[in-house]
Amino acid sequence: MNLNEEIQKAYEVIKEGGIILYPTDTVWGIGCDATNPEAVAKIYKLKKRAETQSMIVLMNGDKMIYNVFKDIPEVAWQIMDFSDLTDSEQANQNPTTLILDKPRNVAPNLIAADNSLGIRLVKEPFCFKLMEKMKKPLVSTSANISGQPTPKSFKEISPEIIKGVDYVVNLHREKIAGKPSTIIKLTSDSQVKVIRK
């Protein structure tokens, strides 16, 4: 299937407030427009997940990050630079999710109780180009019912999830997922806490 066709189809669904099942740089994810609270609520409902368990948001560049966070600790850029590997290093890739304080311009039901939001910068072509078209960040949460194992490949995704989304992206269905991202929490006063290695 053609990458640009899939981006266009996913974009049309997201624009109308729909949710998609799509390959990310790590595992298969369920996503939507990160500024649309109704679409975000659909994902929580499909995953049977409490809204208190916040989801992460993918971004495709500095401009998008600055649109969501006014104050970004210097160490955040250092961590992102460190995890931003070139294509030749993809095999050893270690994607990193950063949790930062005081997000804005996203759906309120994405923001954690402590007023933080997890973000990951992605270069993966489908996600990157889709966000380029959306001009908005993309929600990313693993494609499973809350409490069940994260699927390592498309064929491990439950029929309930596949039926519950508005569009299933027809790319990389044979690919075995990489490991979930490292999660690092950074506070405004530059405290660093590794949540998942």
Side-chain angles (χ1 to χ4, degrees):
M1 186 56 83
N2 180 298
L3 176 65
N4 291 332
E5 280 174 31
E6 287 301 307
I7 289 166
Q8 185 59 35
K9 286 178 183 172
Y11 171 69
E12 296 293 341
V13 168
I14 286 172
K15 197 172 62 169
E16 298 302 320
I19 62 176
I20 64 166
L21 181 61
Y22 67 105
T24 74
D25 53 332
T26 56
V27 297
W28 272 80
I30 306 169
C32 69
D33 171 358
T35 67
N36 183 331
E38 290 80 18
V40 171
K42 282 188 203 171
I43 296 180
Y44 281 119
K45 190 176 175 193
L46 176 60
K47 282 182 65 92
K48 301 183 172 71
R49 180 177 176 139
E51 288 205 4
T52 49
Q53 292 179 279
S54 50
M55 299 185 285
I56 76 156
V57 170
L58 301 182
M59 299 189 179
N60 70 355
D62 298 1
K63 190 176 170 190
M64 215 173 255
I65 295 172
Y66 275 119
N67 191 42
V68 175
F69 299 97
K70 193 170 152 198
D71 300 312
I72 303 161
E74 183 55 40
V75 68
W77 297 115
Q78 291 166 1
I79 292 167
M80 283 188 274
D81 287 345
F82 182 72
S83 60
D84 181 17
L85 303 172
T86 62
D87 290 342
S88 61
E89 296 166 302
Q90 288 293 331
N92 312 312
Q93 190 181 18
N94 189 17
T96 302
T97 296
L98 287 181
I99 300 174
L100 301 172
D101 285 343
K102 299 181 190 156
R104 56 195 180 151
N105 301 327
V106 293
N109 47 348
L110 278 176
I111 299 170
D114 66 355
N115 196 18
S116 68
L117 177 71
I119 62 155
R120 191 164 78 248
L121 209 49
V122 290
K123 292 276 174 74
E124 190 280 321
F126 173 79
C127 298
F128 186 90
K129 289 180 177 172
L130 176 59
M131 285 186 278
E132 217 168 41
K133 205 165 180 61
M134 291 165 60
K135 298 185 171 47
K136 292 174 182 177
L138 180 66
V139 170
S140 179
T141 180
S142 54
N144 58 329
I145 303 295
S146 201
Q148 292 183 1
T150 299
K152 296 243 184 335
S153 65
F154 181 78
K155 61 175 184 284
E156 287 183 17
I157 300 169
S158 79
E160 187 178 352
I161 293 284
I162 292 170
K163 286 192 197 104
V165 298
D166 299 301
Y167 185 64
V168 181
V169 173
N170 191 14
L171 292 169
H172 311 307
R173 293 199 181 176
E174 304 309 312
K175 197 174 110 179
I176 301 299
K179 68 174 194 136
S181 61
T182 299
I183 301 177
I184 300 173
K185 184 170 174 56
L186 297 176
T187 56
S188 299
D189 57 357
S190 294
Q191 288 185 35
V192 179
K193 183 180 178 190
V194 178
I195 293 174
R196 180 174 72 196
K197 279 189 175 172

